[in-house]
Amino acid sequence: MRKAFLYSSFILLGGAALAASTLIYGCGGKTSNTTQLTGDTIADGKHLVQRHCTRCHSLVPVNALTKDVWTVHTLPAMAGYFSIKTYSAEYYKEEGDTTGLSLLEWQAIASYYKKLAPDTLLPAKAPAVLSKDWAGFTLRKAARSNDISFTTMITANPATGKIYSGDVVSGMLTEWDNKLKISKSINLPSAAVNLNFLPDSAGIKQAIATCIGRLDPIDFPNGRVFKVNLGPKLTTSQMQSELPRPVQTLSADLDKDGNAETIICSPGNLKGGVYVLKQDPKTKSYKQTAITERPGAVQAVTGDFNNDGFTDVMVLYSVNDEGLAMYLNNKKGGFDTHELLKFPPVNGSTSFQLADLDHDGDLDLVYTCGYNFRDSRILKPYHGVYIFKNTGNFNLKQEWFYPVNGCSKAIAADFDGDGDLDIATIAFFADMKNNPAEEFIYFEQDKDLHFKPHAIPVSKNGRWMTMDVNDVNGDGKPDILLGNYASGFLFQPNFSPNWDENTPFIVLENHIKK
């Protein structure tokens, strides 16, 4: 009998995203001089926050959190990283009384937030009202299980339409037939959170399964990646082990030798990185190198971003120093880092996609943020889906925002066949108590960067942690798969869920008429 699978912290999976704290881990490096305080609460606090906090992450606006959250959760957590011992011992991170921040300076910072932070956060005003309809989609449900569903991955083989799922409690990688019944499965050492299909001349017969190890964000590197043979029987062979909570793999020929390397996003906790596995053609063993050892990498995409003929990598970071970074291939086995965007650590970045939304030939950015199960479990008006226009050379300018509480993933595709891209979003930390409709939204683009949002009525069918878009039924139209992580991680008081807990996933078949 399976019970609610709870952790003190939590990761969003399947191209989605990892737990993002309201505070930065690893802050509090030593500084040599203290600040001469003036006694002006606002001036002193503003100066100190700019000086100390932004050394590790983007500035968190004082009105990004409520007064209660700042004083009860955020400031106590932050104090430990400066060795300010005014709170519980659980926050003490190193010996010694200070790391360059005096107790008086800390008190000035605390007073600043207490004085200026709001009592409540007002919800953001949406640019368009949700239409509650099916928008041309029809619902299909996977075969029900006797157990609670804890689906951590849902994806479809683009060559065959066959569906694969992962489950954190059973540890099974499961293949489903066209009637959405189990056809075969194999046990893995931990939950599969990503399946990277490997096309060859005969179609797709292999994939790489990413097994996260521990879900909760601790520095315990027991994640693994496996090559999976997708034949009459599922079989696996291990490629790498002892990885810090890997969540995604990609395949790309980085050195132009004709063989694809495997890129791994391993966000870890305080320790993580983006790694490359290269196979020795003679011994068949793998050598691991690092593009970066920066923790928090939740998603990556590859492409020739500077048009020099070599494959580059773009990475979204969702913990510690949140942001989007581009790693340009230097053609010598390494990469040059370019920071494209920085986000404050309250964003809880969850996913991104590059797509030409305005038909100008440049790849724009679709970005989501909404992780909401750590220090500040309140609804945040800046959570949602964003579009950043690429004005050239990946200079990104925000053009559009739609507020979605707890938004965890967005996928852009031409669902209605009119030649422009629409967007599907899921929100694992939606306002389930007051607005469950925002758990899944289909944004129909009816003119350039103008979207009509449809709240497809599926909130009672599950709670969607993971999403994929693929042509499942072979009719040439992109369908939507939603994976149900049905129990746990409730963050709203006085709320009892009433969704289906026993259906592992659903399919929204696309029957939109052009």
Side-chain angles (χ1 to χ4, degrees):
M1 179 178 179
R2 306 200 302 185
K3 297 181 179 180
F5 203 67
L6 296 173
Y7 290 100
S8 60
S9 299
F10 157 79
I11 178 172
L12 292 177
L13 305 170
L18 170 72
S21 173
T22 58
L23 293 171
I24 282 305
Y25 292 99
C27 287
K30 293 184 180 298
T31 56
S32 57
N33 299 309
T34 58
T35 299
Q36 186 68 39
L37 300 179
T38 66
D40 184 324
T41 300
I42 296 176
D44 288 342
K46 184 177 181 180
H47 173 75
L48 289 166
V49 167
Q50 286 278 7
R51 180 182 179 190
H52 293 281
C53 300
T54 59
R55 296 174 61 212
C56 299
H57 57 79
S58 293
L59 179 68
V60 180
V62 69
N63 62 354
L65 299 171
T66 64
K67 195 183 306 291
D68 286 346
V69 170
W70 278 118
T71 56
V72 177
H73 298 285
T74 304
L75 289 173
M78 189 175 185
Y81 297 100
F82 290 109
S83 292
I84 298 296
K85 298 187 176 181
T86 59
Y87 299 95
S88 166
E90 78 175 276
Y91 295 114
Y92 300 169
K93 300 301 177 185
E94 60 181 84
E95 294 298 324
D97 293 328
T98 121
T99 51
L101 188 68
S102 72
L103 183 57
L104 286 176
E105 289 174 319
W106 175 253
Q107 289 172 334
I109 289 176
S111 296
Y112 170 72
Y113 284 109
K114 289 177 184 177
K115 185 169 185 177
L116 292 187
D119 293 325
T120 59
L121 298 185
L122 297 176
K125 185 177 180 180
V129 178
L130 280 174
S131 299
K132 296 182 180 181
D133 56 40
W134 287 93
F137 292 94
T138 59
L139 175 66
R140 293 185 65 200
K141 299 181 183 181
R144 285 173 60 85
S145 169
N146 292 326
D147 295 321
I148 296 174
S149 297
F150 294 98
T151 306
T152 54
M153 179 195 74
I154 192 69
T155 188
N157 185 330
T160 65
K162 289 184 177 179
I163 295 171
Y164 297 84
S165 66
D167 184 282
V168 75
V169 174
S170 71
M172 302 298 290
L173 173 66
T174 302
E175 181 183 288
W176 302 77
D177 63 21
N178 58 10
K179 295 183 179 179
L180 305 189
K181 295 183 178 180
I182 294 174
S183 61
K184 58 180 75 80
S185 60
I186 188 171
N187 189 258
L188 297 172
S190 64
V193 297
N194 178 247
L195 200 61
N196 173 23
F197 295 99
L198 303 176
D200 57 31
S201 58
I204 296 178
K205 296 183 178 180
Q206 290 186 321
I208 298 175
T210 306
C211 298
I212 191 172
R214 291 282 294 269
L215 277 184
D216 46 333
I218 63 172
D219 288 314
F220 188 70
N222 66 335
R224 306 184 195 183
V225 292
F226 293 87
K227 188 164 285 187
V228 183
N229 291 313
L230 305 174
K233 183 179 180 180
L234 297 177
T235 60
T236 64
S237 58
Q238 182 171 287
M239 298 174 63
Q240 187 62 298
S241 62
E242 298 183 1
L243 291 164
R245 301 172 62 245
V247 296
Q248 182 196 16
T249 69
L250 302 93
S251 299
D253 185 0
L254 299 174
D255 55 9
K256 300 189 74 170
D257 67 350
N259 299 309
E261 287 77 50
T262 299
I263 303 165
I264 306 171
C265 281
S266 283
N269 182 34
L270 303 185
K271 299 176 182 178
V274 180
Y275 307 111
V276 176
L277 293 184
K278 185 172 181 62
Q279 187 175 37
D280 187 300
K282 294 181 179 179
T283 66
K284 302 301 181 181
S285 61
Y286 292 92
K287 178 182 178 182
Q288 179 176 305
T289 57
I291 294 177
T292 175
E293 292 186 309
R294 174 179 170 182
V298 291
Q299 187 190 347
V301 299
T302 59
D304 184 6
F305 300 132
N306 58 354
N307 300 311
D308 67 351
F310 280 74
T311 299
D312 312 303
V313 184
M314 195 175 294
V315 180
L316 178 67
Y317 293 90
S318 178
V319 69
N320 298 343
D321 188 11
E322 290 195 36
L324 185 69
M326 180 166 61
Y327 297 92
L328 295 180
N329 195 324
N330 67 10
K331 310 177 188 178
K332 301 175 183 178
F335 293 83
D336 299 324
T337 304
H338 297 264
E339 299 289 347
L340 299 180
L341 292 171
K342 289 285 191 178
F343 304 116
V346 289
N347 267 32
S349 301
T350 47
S351 79
F352 80 106
Q353 182 180 348
L354 300 178
D356 185 5
L357 289 160
D358 55 6
H359 305 284
D360 67 352
D362 290 319
L363 292 174
D364 306 303
L365 172 68
V366 180
Y367 161 79
T368 64
C369 59
Y371 174 77
N372 208 6
F373 200 75
R374 223 156 174 186
D375 296 328
S376 55
R377 301 177 191 179
I378 58 173
L379 300 175
K380 301 179 175 72
Y382 41 86
H383 280 177
V385 56
Y386 293 75
I387 293 174
F388 289 83
K389 179 179 172 59
N390 180 0
T391 61
N393 297 318
F394 286 98
N395 293 308
L396 300 170
K397 177 184 177 183
Q398 182 181 324
E399 287 286 325
W400 183 81
F401 167 65
Y402 194 96
V404 181
N405 288 297
C407 195
S408 44
K409 192 172 185 179
I411 299 178
D414 185 5
F415 291 101
D416 56 7
D418 66 353
D420 56 24
L421 295 177
D422 314 294
I423 302 173
T425 65
I426 54 172
F428 192 74
F429 293 106
D431 183 0
M432 296 172 288
K433 185 176 179 180
N434 303 302
N435 189 22
E438 65 182 355
E439 291 180 48
F440 175 78
I441 301 175
Y442 162 59
F443 292 91
E444 173 194 356
Q445 186 173 190
D446 51 9
K447 56 185 177 181
D448 280 353
L449 299 185
H450 184 273
F451 296 86
K452 181 180 179 181
H454 300 265
I456 311 295
V458 292
S459 61
K460 290 187 176 181
N461 298 110
R463 187 182 181 192
W464 317 121
M465 175 184 276
T466 179
M467 173 174 62
D468 187 34
V469 169
N470 241 303
D471 181 10
V472 175
N473 57 8
D475 67 353
K477 297 179 180 180
D479 306 303
I480 301 170
L481 299 91
L482 303 177
N484 182 15
Y485 196 104
S487 185
F489 308 116
L490 300 180
F491 70 107
Q492 292 179 286
N494 304 315
F495 171 74
S496 297
N498 61 353
W499 52 71
D500 180 356
E501 293 187 330
N502 302 102
T503 300
F505 67 92
I506 64 172
V507 177
L508 294 175
E509 284 196 346
N510 184 349
H511 296 289
I512 302 173
K513 295 181 180 180
K514 293 184 180 180

